[in-house]
Every structure is written in structure tokens, then in C-alpha cells.
């Protein structure tokens, strides 16, 4: 009984943190979707490198909403399942964590075993401010894009030298690297940190599944 009560408390605290994180991320996602301009004004405060318009913000908001919703549901199921001793909630929580864990394992296999195929993947074209990069491969990913059309043929500032009007010719002469290569290099340079974080997250997920199953089985013993 003492061990079961301790596991309940741990489960409640752990999932309470997940729930609050989910609420925060979901709120930011909704804010970015409804009023992206005010959010970008806050993010650009003190950072002159951010442009006035960010075409990708709409997609970022959907990612935040999706991640926040999943975390919120997980946290709710974990907290309520542990406190109310609901087998249905605990089993649902276990299933969600297991699915996420399997997806992460599959993603790791794709990244490390089929790295050559990942490098050939060219479906998206985004730019990242942190890496000072342009497009997925280079500036040509923005050719005929909605961003360029809405800005009178001007490419994102990250595609050109600072202080210049970023036309197609200027972007070509600036020769700014694509974001995918920079992201790959960042991951390679920080492989130990990335691996450590991945192992830590996986350990937490396994621990959460084990605890939820222990509580689930204890409920079955009590009912019998």
C-alpha cells in the first residue's frame, strides 16, 4: 500500500507537470494562430535580424497546438487515472506513451540507419533564423512561393547579405547555405548531447509506462 501510494504521488506530480506544459504550449499555439503579429513583435524585441513577416508562423502554430493537445491529454489521463484509480485512463495513458515511444524509435532508425535517404528528402522549404540559413537546400526553394509573391519578388532577408534588398540575383550571389545541411551539421556537432537527451526522454517514457502498468495491475488486485 505504501509503495502504491508513493507511485500515485509520483505519477500525479510527473503528469501534472506534463499537463501544465501542454496548457502552456497549446496557449502559445493558439496565440500564434489567432494573433501572430503581436507574438512576433515580442519575439523580435531586441533582435533586429527577425523580419517583419514570418510566412512559416502559421505552420508553427499548428505544431504547437498539436503537441500541446497531446501533452494536455496525456497529463490529464495520467493524473486522473492515478488519483481515481481508473483502469481505463491508465491503460489509455500507457497506450499513448507507447505509441509516442515507438514513433521515436522508428524515427531514430530512419535517421541513423537510412541517413542517406533522409538527406535526399526534399519535401519542405523552410528557413531558420538561428542558423542564418535559407530554404531547405538554398534560396531556390522560395522560387514562385507565396512568400515571394506577397513581397513583390523579395526573398527572405536570411537569403542575402545584411543590408541588401533580397532579390533573386542578390540571393544567388550571396550563396547562403540551406537549412537542412546546417541542421545536420548542428546535430553532428552535438551528437553526444542529442543522444543524452534522447536517452533521457526514452527513460522517462519507459518509467511512465512501467508505473502506469503497476498501478493498473494493483487496481485489478484490489477489485478482486
Amino acid at each position: 500500500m505504501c509503495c502504491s501510494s508513493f507511485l500515485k504521488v509520483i505519477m500525479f506530480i510527473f503528469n501534472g507537470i506534463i499537463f501544465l506544459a501542454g496548457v502552456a504550449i497549446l496557449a502559445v499555439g493558439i496565440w500564434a494562430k489567432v494573433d501572430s503579429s503581436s507574438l512576433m513583435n515580442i519575439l523580435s524585441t531586441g533582435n533586429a535580424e527577425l523580419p517583419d513577416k514570418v510566412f512559416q508562423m502559421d505552420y508553427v502554430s499548428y505544431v504547437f497546438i498539436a503537441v500541446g493537445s497531446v501533452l494536455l491529454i496525456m497529463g490529464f489521463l495520467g493524473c486522473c487515472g492515478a488519483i481515481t484509480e481508473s483502469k481505463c485512463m491508465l491503460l489509455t495513458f500507457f497506450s499513448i506513451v507507447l505509441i509516442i515511444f515507438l514513433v521515436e524509435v522508428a524515427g531514430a532508425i530512419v535517421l541513423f540507419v537510412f541517413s542517406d535517404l533522409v538527406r535526399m528528402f526534399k519535401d519542405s522549404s523552410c528557413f531558420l533564423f538561428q542558423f542564418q540559413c535559407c530554404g531547405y537546400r538554398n534560396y531556390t526553394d522560395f522560387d514562385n512561393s507565396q512568400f515571394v509573391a506577397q513581397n513583390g519578388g523579395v526573398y527572405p532577408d536570411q537569403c542575402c547579405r545584411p543590408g541588401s534588398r533580397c532579390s533573386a540575383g542578390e540571393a544567388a550571389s550571396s550563396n547562403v547555405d540551406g537549412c537542412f545541411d546546417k541542421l545536420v551539421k548542428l546535430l553532428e556537432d552535438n551528437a553526444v548531447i542529442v543522444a543524452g537527451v534522447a536517452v533521457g526522454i526514452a527513460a522517462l517514457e519507459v518509467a511512465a509506462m512501467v508505473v502506469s502498468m503497476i498501478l493498473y495491475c494493483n487496481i485489478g488486485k484490489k477489485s478482486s
Side-chain angles (χ1 to χ4, degrees):
M1 289 296 296
C2 181
C3 179
S4 178
S5 299
F6 175 74
L7 291 178
K8 283 184 183 179
V9 173
I10 294 299
M11 190 79 167
F12 180 82
I13 295 175
F14 175 74
N15 287 283
I17 295 173
I18 292 178
F19 180 83
L20 294 176
V23 171
I25 295 173
L26 180 61
V28 172
I30 294 175
W31 183 14
K33 177 62 180 175
V34 175
D35 189 14
S36 60
S37 59
S38 63
L39 178 61
M40 287 309 304
N41 288 335
I42 294 176
L43 294 177
S44 60
T45 301
N47 190 344
E49 295 180 353
L50 286 177
D52 295 329
K53 296 180 180 180
V54 182
F55 179 67
Q56 289 81 2
M57 181 54 70
D58 193 47
Y59 300 104
V60 173
S61 66
Y62 288 124
V63 174
F64 272 63
I65 291 173
V67 173
S69 299
V70 172
L71 291 178
L72 190 149
I73 294 172
M74 282 179 55
F76 174 79
L77 291 173
C79 287
C80 293
I83 298 302
T84 63
E85 296 186 345
S86 170
K87 297 184 71 173
C88 179
M89 286 185 175
L90 288 173
L91 185 60
T92 304
F93 172 82
F94 175 87
S95 301
I96 293 175
V97 177
L98 178 61
I99 291 172
I100 294 174
F101 179 77
L102 293 177
V103 169
E104 290 172 349
V105 171
I109 292 174
V110 170
L111 286 174
F112 291 101
V113 178
F114 302 104
S115 58
D116 291 338
L117 293 179
V118 175
R119 288 178 179 276
M120 295 172 61
F121 185 73
K122 295 184 168 97
D123 284 347
S124 64
S125 57
C126 65
F127 60 89
L128 303 173
F129 306 115
Q130 306 94 308
F131 301 139
Q132 289 299 301
C133 55
C134 174
Y136 182 84
R137 296 160 295 178
N138 51 44
Y139 79 97
T140 58
D141 289 317
F142 288 98
D143 289 348
N144 302 318
S145 68
Q146 185 178 354
F147 181 95
V148 173
Q150 290 178 346
N151 289 275
V154 176
Y155 285 67
D157 293 339
Q158 282 69 27
C159 297
C160 299
R161 286 180 286 266
S164 60
R165 184 180 184 277
C166 200
S167 62
E170 179 65 25
S173 62
S174 298
N175 196 27
V176 178
D177 293 333
C179 291
F180 183 75
D181 291 336
K182 289 222 172 182
L183 180 58
V184 170
K185 186 178 186 305
L186 177 68
L187 293 176
E188 290 174 348
D189 293 342
N190 299 274
V192 175
I193 297 176
V194 172
V197 172
V199 170
I201 293 175
L204 287 175
E205 291 170 344
V206 171
M209 288 189 287
V210 170
V211 172
S212 63
M213 275 294 98
I214 291 175
L215 294 176
Y216 179 88
C217 294
N218 286 341
I219 294 172
K221 291 177 182 178
K222 288 181 181 180
S223 61
S224 61

